[in-house]
């Protein structure tokens, strides 16, 4: 037992010799800077995965590795303990559990709902000390963060989700944050989303303007563009087919009441059920989207076919069959023409801005 304790103490002592702290070091005090300038914290990020885009809850789930770099002259790495080198310089790697002995930036994710650490045994983090007293702390987490979405252009909508990494306690007069150049950040090329294509933009550092005191932060903006192919196959083509079926019912003689009524009502109910199913995938917003306009017009055309049958039946009942036949002929010609004109107007407006590459 005593031998085990001695060995543990020797290992711990050996780990401590990798870095040395000045006598006045305190983890409660931020690293000193020249002329009292704000401490500069550089950052890079690795977007590992976009786990889920929850449109109804307006939440996006991400998995990222955030790396923070800052200089602390109070900490020196032992030259003999340097175990690797990268683009910044030689460094010594410490167990991430040692991070509680270092001063750390108080960075948090704004509007995050839940944070999870994909831990197997050891926390997925790393702590490095470079030969020039630069400290690098890196940690991987996955989290759910709020994303305000706009569905006016649904199903060709574009969503912009801002993930903000902010300092909680240090003001912009004490700490400044900035992204490193693009070569230090990367996005997993294998990320695939069912209904969206995406682009990532690292925005310049900013300061919060909704507090009495400004706090520094960084923004990672995700630009999500919905792919219309799913809704073309699942919504637009089937609904167009049902509108055509409703129009074809006009060629059934008006005297065949069960056939006309059954075909018209079945088409209307099927459209209503289809559109209700589509609407379950988006929030119950109070404004009208492009898909709502399509749904409404399709149901109006189907209802017009049913209404045409009722009017034609009235003409026949009052012994005005010739007028009823003329009315049916006009409807057979005018309804498809109006629907075609609607499509000519609808699709250019729907797709405007969708293929402009922005």
């Amino acid at each position: 037992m005593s031998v085990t304790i001695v060995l543990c103490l020797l290992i711990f002592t050996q780990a401590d010799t990798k870095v040395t702290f000045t006598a006045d070091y305190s983890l409660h005090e931020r690293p000193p800077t020249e002329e009292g300038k704000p401490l500069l914290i550089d950052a890079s990020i690795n977007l590992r995965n976009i786990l889920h885009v929850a449109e109804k809850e307006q939440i996006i789930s991400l998995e990222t590795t955030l790396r923070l770099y800052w200089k602390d002259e109070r900490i020196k790495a032992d030259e003999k303990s340097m175990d690797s080198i990268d683009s910044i310089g030689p460094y010594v790697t410490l167990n991430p559990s040692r991070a509680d002995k270092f001063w750390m930036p108080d960075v948090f994710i704004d509007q995050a709902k839940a944070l999870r650490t994909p831990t197997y045994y050891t926390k997925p983090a790393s702590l490095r000390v470079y030969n020039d007293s630069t400290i690098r702390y890196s940690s991987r987490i996955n989290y759910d963060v709020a994303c305000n979405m706009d569905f006016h252009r649904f199903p060709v909508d574009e969503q912009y989700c801002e993930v903000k990494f902010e300092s909680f306690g240090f003001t912009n007069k004490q700490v400044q944050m900035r992204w490193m150049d693009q070569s230090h950040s990367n996005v997993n090329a294998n990320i695939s989303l069912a209904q969206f294509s995406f682009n990532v933009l690292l925005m310049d550092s900013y300061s919060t303007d909704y507090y009495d005191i400004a706090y520094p932060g960084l923004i990672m903006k995700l630009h999500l563009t919905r792919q219309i192919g799913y809704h073309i196959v699942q919504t637009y083509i089937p609904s167009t087919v049902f509108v055509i079926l409703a129009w074809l019912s006009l060629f059934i003689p008006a005297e065949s009441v069960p056939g006309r009524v059954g075909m018209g009502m079945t088409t209307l109910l099927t459209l209503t059920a289809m559109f209700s199913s589509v609407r379950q995938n988006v929030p119950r917003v109070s404004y009208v989207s492009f898909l709502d306009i399509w749904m409404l017009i399709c149901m109006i055309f189907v209802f017009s076919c049913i209404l045409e049958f009722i009017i034609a039946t009235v003409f026949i009942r009052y012994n005005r069959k010739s007028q009823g036949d003329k009315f049916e002929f006009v409807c057979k010609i005018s309804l498809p023409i109006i629907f075609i004109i609607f499509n000519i107007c609808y699709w250019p407006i729907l797709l405007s801005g969708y293929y402009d590459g922005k």
Side-chain angles (χ1 to χ4, degrees), residues 306-316 324 327:
I306 298 174
L307 183 62
E308 183 275 342
F309 165 68
I310 295 173
I311 295 174
T313 303
V314 171
F315 278 123
I316 294 173
F327 176 74

Side-chain angles (χ1 to χ4, degrees), residues 15 98 256 287 291 309 322 340 355:
R98 299 274 324 271
S256 180
Y287 48 80
L291 188 61
F309 165 68
S322 60
I340 291 173
Y355 292 110

